[in-house]
Amino acid sequence: MKKIALCILARNELDCLKVMLPMLPKPGPDAGFDMICAVDGGSTDGTVEFFKENNIRVLSQSKRGRGDAFLTAFREIDADAYVFFSPDGNEDPKDLGKFRKLFDEGADLVIASRMMRESVNEEDGQLLKWRKWANLAFNFLANMLFRSKGPYITDSINGYRGITKAAATHLNLSAYDYTIEYQMTMRALKKKINIVEFPTVEGPRIAGETGAQSIPTGIRFLKRLWSELLLGSRF
């Protein structure tokens, strides 16, 4: 059985953590993970202190960016697999137990999908689903350009995911920003590693505002797609 680390990614998420942390199961076989660590991106609102009060190890990023949080976890946490969790309310803690089962069955990369038939996306109740439609477009491009075998990947961008240490090392990830998940999916498709998705229900954000603005975010994802297309399998 793999040793799995739950990695909570946070930057100024104190209000969200006060709600979400009590909802997380205790580490153990039934929880889907064996340890909890936090990766902090420079919080100033008491987030770090809150983690420490709850006996959670905190790793500090050397650079600003979501991708650097992933790379920090890979570098500093001794585990066989990592599950990444954002405490803003979008990600359902009830899904955490599903990761271990899929890893044990041979998955290298596990993605909680907001786009599968049984899933719920935060925008599903809206008439105009701009964020969902953009995600679906990026999914289509990644599959069309890089998938040669295996099932169609429905949510190439979602951050609620887990990956084995061996796969992360093999993919040699380098994105320091919030395109890290897209890079991970595209490189996993290139290398034909075993990607498994399961449906999830995306909840509303508990507090605060997202730091990712739509148009600049979309441009960054297009640049990441182009760079991966040029790079091919030379990484």
Side-chain angles (χ1 to χ4, degrees):
M1 181 177 292
K2 292 180 173 64
K3 182 168 74 170
I4 300 173
L6 175 63
C7 306
I8 304 176
L9 309 183
R11 179 173 177 267
N12 293 331
E13 295 284 14
L14 181 60
D15 291 338
C16 297
L17 281 166
K18 288 179 178 178
V19 176
M20 294 302 298
L21 195 60
M23 299 173 65
L24 299 181
K26 299 296 182 183
D30 295 331
F33 54 91
D34 303 290
M35 67 180 88
I36 302 179
C37 295
V39 185
D40 182 73
S43 295
T44 57
D45 67 342
T47 289
V48 172
E49 292 76 9
F50 184 77
F51 278 129
K52 292 179 178 179
E53 288 168 6
N54 286 274
N55 299 311
I56 294 175
R57 177 189 175 195
V58 181
L59 306 176
S60 297
Q61 295 177 222
S62 58
K63 298 181 180 180
R64 179 73 61 84
R66 184 175 175 88
D68 186 67
F70 276 67
L71 300 178
T72 298
F74 297 145
R75 184 174 60 249
E76 298 192 26
I77 300 173
D78 181 19
D80 299 308
Y82 307 85
V83 174
F84 294 94
F85 181 82
S86 298
D88 55 10
N90 289 153
E91 298 171 3
D92 189 350
K94 297 186 184 70
D95 288 333
L96 288 170
K98 300 175 182 178
F99 286 91
R100 185 188 299 278
K101 178 177 182 294
L102 294 173
F103 282 134
D104 287 344
E105 291 174 352
D108 298 304
L109 171 59
V110 180
I111 303 173
S113 173
R114 305 159 296 173
M115 308 297 177
M116 298 174 75
R117 181 170 298 177
E118 304 88 349
S119 303
V120 176
N121 184 281
E122 189 180 11
E123 291 185 328
D124 280 342
Q126 302 177 20
L127 178 61
L128 299 176
K129 306 175 179 63
W130 299 115
R131 185 171 63 94
K132 181 176 181 178
W133 292 338
N135 286 346
L136 290 172
F138 284 117
N139 295 336
F140 172 76
L141 290 170
N143 281 277
M144 180 183 69
L145 293 171
F146 305 118
R147 182 175 67 97
S148 60
K149 62 178 290 187
Y152 185 94
I153 304 305
T154 66
D155 201 346
S156 59
I157 291 173
N158 197 20
Y160 197 11
R161 60 179 55 206
I163 188 170
T164 65
K165 186 179 187 69
T169 301
H170 188 47
L171 298 182
N172 194 25
L173 301 167
S174 60
Y176 284 96
D177 60 7
Y178 41 74
T179 64
I180 183 75
E181 292 95 348
Y182 198 36
Q183 183 187 62
M184 182 186 294
T185 304
M186 289 187 286
R187 292 190 176 186
L189 288 169
K190 292 178 187 180
K191 292 295 186 181
K192 302 179 178 62
I193 73 169
N194 187 16
I195 308 173
V196 179
E197 295 182 293
F198 65 83
T200 191
V201 175
E202 183 180 35
R205 184 175 178 86
I206 294 170
E209 299 291 335
T210 179
Q213 302 300 314
S214 297
I215 293 177
T217 299
I219 292 172
R220 285 201 180 190
F221 277 109
L222 286 171
K223 288 181 177 178
R224 181 62 59 192
L225 175 70
W226 179 245
S227 68
E228 288 299 319
L229 187 59
L230 292 178
L231 189 63
S233 296
R234 302 183 305 276
F235 52 84

